[in-house]
Amino acid sequence: MSAFFNDAEVLWVAWIVVGGCVVWSTIRALSRLRMPNLRLLLRDEHGSGYTLSYVMTVPLYLIMVFTFVELSLVLIAKVGTVYSGFAAARSGIVWNTAANETDADDKIQQAAIQTMAPFASGLTEMRIDKAASWQDADNLEAAFMKAYDQHRRTESKASSRYVRAKYRYAKRTVQAAIEVEPKQDAEVWDEDIVVTISYDYPFTFPLLGRFLMAQKKNGVFIRPITSTVRLQNETPKNTEKRLGISYASP
């Protein structure tokens, strides 16, 4: 559970506080709503004074709502990086026994990208790369989109374009760093595989990005999100990296 909170403690606290303020403000506003005053306002202008307090507080209320929505999106991306980290770590454990180091790194990176794609920003990619040709996909992207097309329920080109944009943004911003870390005072075989996922979250509301002093890249305010995942490395420690068990049929 610590992976969900590391590097995001302030975001979780802010999300809870802002969410509580939104709920409290909404309940308080609805409790003060009086139907006779609304009917009076609809009939003539005598009820306009009743709406003055709402007109003065609506901008503040909308800012709180937008902030709550933005923080929710940031935390969803944070959860996505944790999920991506576990996928990359599991991929590293498997492919370290079946491929050389370069191929294994490629598989780890690809696992991180594909699992982060559902949490990535498609609208940001479309806005940044307006002239992108969706026909120049590499083999991995083509395979990802083929799998999506086989499972989607509607024949919508717009949805396919959006998913492709999410994949490309993940491919452009997600980085997976992996290392094998022996446990202290443990046997050589008893070690952990540690994966750190980094992702650039783009702010949907630029004003909030500026207010939170986020970094600006390609005209978009971003917040780097990192998550570290640790799993026990199950790779055999012999030269062949095999268990020595033959699974061939007799």
Side-chain angles (χ1 to χ4, degrees):
M1 289 297 293
S2 62
F4 293 100
F5 297 96
N6 289 343
D7 194 40
E9 297 87 349
V10 176
L11 295 177
W12 283 104
V13 173
W15 180 73
I16 294 173
V17 171
V18 175
C21 291
V22 170
V23 172
W24 177 82
S25 300
T26 303
I27 294 176
R28 182 174 175 83
L30 293 177
S31 65
R32 297 180 61 184
L33 195 61
R34 299 292 183 268
M35 292 303 298
N37 292 330
L38 291 179
R39 296 192 188 99
L40 182 62
L41 176 63
L42 294 175
R43 287 199 302 267
D44 51 40
E45 297 181 357
H46 291 294
S48 59
Y50 172 73
T51 63
L52 181 60
S53 59
Y54 286 96
V55 173
M56 296 177 63
T57 57
V58 161
L60 179 60
Y61 178 77
L62 291 178
I63 290 176
M64 288 194 301
V65 171
F66 292 155
T67 302
F68 179 72
V69 172
E70 190 75 75
L71 290 174
S72 299
L73 294 175
V74 176
L75 293 177
I76 289 174
K78 173 64 177 177
V79 173
T81 58
V82 176
Y83 175 59
S84 178
F86 276 107
R90 290 192 295 268
S91 179
I93 293 172
V94 172
W95 285 100
N96 192 33
T97 65
N100 57 48
E101 185 174 350
T102 301
D103 292 339
D105 289 341
D106 292 340
K107 295 296 184 180
I108 292 169
Q109 186 67 26
Q110 185 61 24
I113 293 172
Q114 288 187 345
T115 50
M116 190 62 200
F119 304 91
S121 173
L123 296 178
T124 301
E125 180 66 16
M126 291 181 181
R127 185 167 64 250
I128 293 177
D129 198 359
K130 297 180 181 179
S133 173
W134 304 106
Q135 305 300 324
D136 58 351
D138 57 26
N139 293 335
L140 294 175
E141 180 181 332
F144 182 86
M145 293 308 303
K146 181 179 180 181
Y148 169 75
D149 291 336
Q150 289 176 345
H151 291 87
R152 65 178 179 174
R153 298 181 179 179
T154 60
E155 296 295 330
S156 172
K157 293 183 178 180
S159 63
S160 293
R161 181 181 174 87
Y162 179 63
V163 171
R164 188 184 296 273
K166 290 168 73 68
Y167 178 89
R168 289 194 174 185
Y169 186 78
K171 182 179 179 181
R172 191 156 58 84
T173 61
V174 173
Q175 294 294 329
I178 187 169
E179 64 176 331
V180 178
E181 182 179 282
K183 293 182 179 179
Q184 187 176 6
D185 299 329
E187 298 292 339
V188 176
W189 59 268
D190 192 12
E191 61 186 10
D192 288 338
I193 185 168
V194 182
V195 174
T196 301
I197 300 292
S198 60
Y199 168 73
D200 291 339
Y201 172 81
F203 280 86
T204 304
F205 305 103
L207 180 61
L208 293 178
R210 187 182 299 274
F211 176 75
L212 296 175
M213 296 181 292
Q215 303 176 17
K216 195 169 186 180
K217 182 186 296 186
N218 296 325
V220 178
F221 288 98
I222 65 167
R223 175 188 172 86
I225 299 177
T226 59
S227 295
T228 300
V229 173
R230 184 187 304 269
L231 292 179
Q232 183 174 337
N233 189 9
E234 300 173 357
T235 304
K237 296 305 176 184
N238 51 34
T239 304
E240 296 78 14
K241 295 183 178 180
R242 296 290 187 272
L243 294 175
I245 302 174
S246 175
Y247 296 95
S249 301

